[in-house]
Amino acid sequence: MQTANRLVSVCLVALVYGVLAGCATVEVHSKPGTTTTVILLRHADRDEGPDLINLNARGHARAQALVAAVRDMGVTAIYSPNVERNVQTVKPLAQHLGIDITLTPRFSIAVANSIAQEILDKHAGGVVVLVGNVSGNLQAFYHLLGGTGSGPKEYGDLYIMTIPDRGPVKVNKTRFE
């Protein structure tokens, strides 16, 4: 009986790894004749205490640093969930560039899939900044847009994803302070 249980466990683990590996091989492409760039980042720093909604002083400084980090990249759109710390992170950039922030509902996998498809359809050939939360949605976006491995997790992580009309997605992992 133990051998049968162990075999079932091994098969389940193999199945899970097989499914995850299969998810990592999904090919994502921009519309024909275009290359779309998506800049993914986690919202800037916040306190761990009772105020989880707003950025702290370091977060506001990092939001200003985001302007310097991406202002010359040709940003054409900015997406943020309608969460105050996320909006506060990209608001200085939006003001500097004169771009409205596209507010989205809090992310779920279905919402993330819809937004990823919208970015590839509506902003093909453009440069889109997408800010999110580390609690799952950034990882979902990263994988839905063709990233492999782990997406942005730390404050200041900046993942620049170049999505061509054919061929693999390229990811430049950098930081802004």
Side-chain angles (χ1 to χ4, degrees):
M1 187 67 165
Q2 273 187 328
T3 304
N5 287 340
R6 185 171 290 149
L7 180 60
V8 168
S9 295
V10 169
C11 288
L12 286 174
V13 169
L15 177 63
V16 168
Y17 280 116
V19 168
L20 291 176
C23 290
T25 60
V26 172
E27 287 196 27
V28 177
H29 296 105
S30 189
K31 285 186 175 180
T34 68
T35 297
T36 303
T37 301
V38 179
I39 302 169
L40 285 177
L41 66 138
R42 180 184 183 185
H43 63 76
D45 314 52
R46 62 176 168 89
D47 291 325
E48 295 301 321
D51 187 11
L52 298 176
I53 296 171
N54 294 295
L55 299 182
N56 60 24
R58 178 71 186 111
H60 285 289
R62 195 181 302 273
Q64 291 298 325
L66 176 63
V67 176
V70 304
R71 70 176 163 225
D72 297 328
M73 294 178 143
V75 173
T76 56
I78 300 171
Y79 279 71
S80 173
N82 195 9
V83 176
E84 194 59 33
R85 64 182 173 260
N86 296 66
V87 174
Q88 290 172 355
T89 299
V90 293
K91 189 173 186 177
L93 178 64
Q95 290 173 335
H96 177 79
L97 297 175
I99 295 174
D100 290 332
I101 299 169
T102 301
L103 296 176
T104 66
R106 284 185 173 256
F107 298 137
S108 65
I109 294 298
V111 169
N113 191 41
S114 171
I115 293 168
Q117 194 59 53
E118 178 179 319
I119 288 170
L120 291 172
D121 289 342
K122 187 175 178 182
H123 302 287
V127 178
V128 178
V129 170
L130 190 142
V131 63
N133 302 301
V134 77
S135 60
N137 67 51
L138 277 177
Q139 301 309 309
F141 276 115
Y142 182 67
H143 292 285
L144 286 168
L145 294 170
T148 59
S150 181
K153 290 183 180 178
E154 303 296 325
Y155 299 130
D157 282 351
L158 201 63
Y159 282 43
I160 303 165
M161 305 181 75
T162 305
I163 306 167
D165 61 348
R166 59 184 176 273
V169 172
K170 293 182 178 104
V171 180
N172 179 21
K173 300 174 185 178
T174 187
R175 293 193 47 80
F176 67 103
E177 297 298 329

